[in-house]
């Protein structure tokens, strides 16, 4: 991380982050720190489902010594590592990755810390009480924001076994959102997206993914396997999510930045 004083992007942010209606009167955004909320992609990343072959594969096709340049081919699933779920992932006819309006990918960032509760209960589900507690301290969650839960689960990232936390029957155990909390954020706060530092917005034991079904059908997108949430404040930062613009994609690896004022 490095301190940055940047104003040259104000036209972009004024147009995208604050909506098209502000395009003729852009607002300048200043910040001092950029926090990368992304895990580096590699075959060591914990997968949602275990497979015999690595899900992330690379092939070197050119080297400096042989070709005077370096290049690789890569192969990976849409939903791998730090990634974005498009609405079409669970809702037929909704936006695919390339159809998500770009102004929704730059937004105020809200971080709800439930790490102490998740530490006591791996199957913890973020509740409406957690949202109420956050708002008592920070004010109401603004509309058109991106809400990301800091469960502390990123501490297990370097251990596939601990991050997946599967029991003897193969059921995984990690925190997620409750459906009630998701409904409050969608219907009561009108947020653009939900994020979390685990493999899924739904908690590990979920078999039917009710939060995915509900939120994606309401045209939200998800950010999963988010990193470095301990380095951003509860509110005040701006998040930029930049997925690969995959035509027809159900999801995509994503680079996420938090601009901290």
């Amino acid at each position: 991380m490095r301190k940055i004083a940047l104003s040259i992007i104000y036209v972009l942010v004024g147009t995208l982050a604050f909506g098209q209606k502000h395009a003729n009167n852009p607002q300048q955004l200043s910040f001092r720190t950029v926090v990368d909320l992304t895990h580096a992609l590699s075959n060591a990343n914990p997968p949602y489902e275990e497979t015999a072959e690595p899900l992330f594969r690379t092939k070197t096709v050119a080297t400096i010594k042989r070709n005077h340049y370096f290049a690789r081919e890569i192969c990976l699933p849409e939903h791998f590592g730090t990634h974005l779920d498009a609405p079409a992932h669970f809702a037929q006819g909704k936006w695919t990755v390339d159809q998500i309006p770009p102004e929704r990918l730059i937004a105020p960032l809200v971080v709800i810390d439930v790490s102490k509760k998740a530490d006591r209960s791996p199957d913890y589900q973020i509740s409406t009480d957690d949202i109420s507690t956050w708002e008592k301290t920070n004010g109401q969650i603004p509309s058109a924001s991106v809400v990301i839960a800091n469960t502390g689960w990123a501490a297990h990232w370097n251990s596939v076994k601990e991050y997946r936390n599967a029991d003897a029957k193969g059921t995984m155990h990690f925190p997620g959102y409750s459906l009630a909390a998701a409904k409050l954020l969608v219907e009561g706060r009108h947020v653009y997206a939900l994020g979390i530092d685990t493999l899924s917005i739904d908690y590990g034991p979920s078999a039917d993914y009710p939060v995915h079904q509900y939120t994606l059908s309401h045209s939200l997108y998800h950010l999963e396997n988010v990193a470095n949430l301990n380095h951003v404040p509860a509110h005040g930062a701006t998040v930029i999510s930049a997925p690969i613009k995959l035509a027809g994609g159900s999801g995509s690896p994503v680079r996420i930045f938090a601009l901290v004022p």
Side-chain angles (χ1 to χ4, degrees), residues 110-114 126 130-131 134 141 147-151 185 234:
V110 168
V111 178
I112 299 178
D113 190 336
V114 295
I126 296 134
D130 293 319
I131 297 170
W134 189 96
I141 291 172
V147 176
I148 303 182
N150 178 10
T151 72
L185 292 170

Side-chain angles (χ1 to χ4, degrees), residues 194-256:
L194 298 184
I196 198 166
D197 55 353
T198 70
L199 281 163
S200 174
I201 291 292
D202 284 282
Y203 81 138
S206 176
D208 54 357
Y209 313 107
V211 179
H212 274 77
Q213 294 188 46
Y214 172 77
T215 54
L216 296 179
S217 69
H218 284 76
S219 298
L220 273 72
Y221 61 88
H222 297 161
L223 300 171
E224 296 174 329
N225 295 324
V226 180
N228 296 322
L229 289 168
N230 288 336
H231 298 291
V232 292
H235 66 94
T238 298
V239 63
I240 299 177
S241 301
I244 300 172
K245 194 173 181 180
L246 295 173
S250 70
S252 168
V254 64
R255 192 75 181 266
I256 310 171

Side-chain angles (χ1 to χ4, degrees), residues 32-33 117 136 179 192 198 249:
R32 63 176 177 83
T33 303
K117 294 180 179 180
K136 286 177 182 177
L179 182 57
Y192 279 164
T198 70

Side-chain angles (χ1 to χ4, degrees), residues 78-102:
E78 291 178 324
H79 303 269
F80 186 77
T82 303
H83 67 273
L84 177 148
D85 290 351
H89 184 36
F90 268 69
Q92 187 173 2
K94 294 294 186 179
W95 292 323
T96 53
V97 173
D98 54 309
Q99 295 172 333
I100 298 173

Side-chain angles (χ1 to χ4, degrees), residues 14 32 58 135 139 146-147 163 169-170 192 210 236 252:
R32 63 176 177 83
T58 65
E135 292 186 331
V146 171
V147 176
Y163 197 78
K169 295 182 179 180
Y192 279 164
S252 168

